[in-house]
Amino acid sequence: EQLPWEKGTFIETFMNSRARLVDDALDADPVAMAVLKLMASRGTWEGTASELLDLLGEIAGQAKNGYPGWPKIHNHLSHQLSRVSAFLREKGIQIEKKHSGNRSIILTNVKEAHLRADEVPIALIPKPRHLTFCIIARMLFDFIHGIR
């Protein structure tokens, strides 16, 4: 039995819904937006969570804007980065945490790092299964309501 829509409509709707879901999640998180601004024109950034918290606070204008829910200490930043890492990966930003010796965070912009396809570590490839359930639910909602 055939599906009730033209060939390619399902995957197009699925991919559009997925992209909107990622964008919505990032737009709703001021830390994620600050990371995107930080990494917009650089390949990598490495430092401690405290250094990153200070830098992101400057970028976001946290002192002036006072975003609710903005992490006040470095370990809260680390937890918040873990929560948005799948969404940032979709935009080409990989977050790596090192725990040997001095704890550090490495942000890598895969798009700016100029890596050849065969050089990209497997960890930097987006993992779509993290978002699959939410995307399918959003896609079905959009399809039922005629949104494309």
Side-chain angles (χ1 to χ4, degrees):
E1 190 173 323
Q2 282 191 316
L3 298 174
W5 49 80
E6 294 179 29
K7 184 176 182 175
T9 302
F10 178 84
I11 194 68
E12 181 183 345
T13 303
F14 178 82
M15 296 308 288
N16 289 339
S17 294
R18 183 172 196 245
R20 278 196 312 273
L21 180 68
V22 169
D23 289 342
D24 290 348
L26 292 172
D27 286 343
D29 191 303
V31 170
M33 293 304 293
V35 169
L36 288 172
K37 285 180 185 176
L38 171 67
M39 298 306 293
S41 61
R42 60 171 71 200
T44 60
W45 180 91
E46 183 172 358
T48 66
S50 296
E51 293 168 340
L52 183 58
L53 181 59
D54 292 342
L55 183 57
L56 294 178
E58 289 174 23
I59 290 170
Q62 174 58 13
K64 182 176 80 173
N65 297 324
Y67 292 110
W70 185 269
K72 294 180 179 27
I73 55 177
H74 67 295
N75 64 330
H76 291 170
L77 173 66
S78 184
H79 293 303
Q80 196 156 350
L81 289 173
S82 295
R83 284 193 298 273
V84 297
S85 64
F87 298 109
L88 288 169
R89 239 188 335 267
E90 291 292 314
K91 295 294 184 180
I93 308 297
Q94 175 67 29
I95 300 170
E96 181 183 347
K97 296 176 184 176
K98 287 189 172 182
H99 298 288
S100 60
N102 292 334
R103 292 177 177 243
S104 64
I105 296 174
I106 301 170
L107 304 176
T108 305
N109 186 338
V110 178
K111 295 174 183 173
E112 292 293 326
H114 305 293
L115 297 173
R116 293 190 339 247
D118 60 343
E119 294 176 328
V120 176
I122 194 74
L124 299 184
I125 298 171
K127 296 173 177 64
R129 68 183 178 274
H130 294 176
L131 306 173
T132 302
F133 177 77
C134 294
I135 294 166
I136 290 174
R138 174 76 182 255
M139 185 228 23
L140 289 174
F141 175 84
D142 289 351
F143 185 78
I144 289 168
H145 296 291
I147 301 169
R148 284 192 187 184

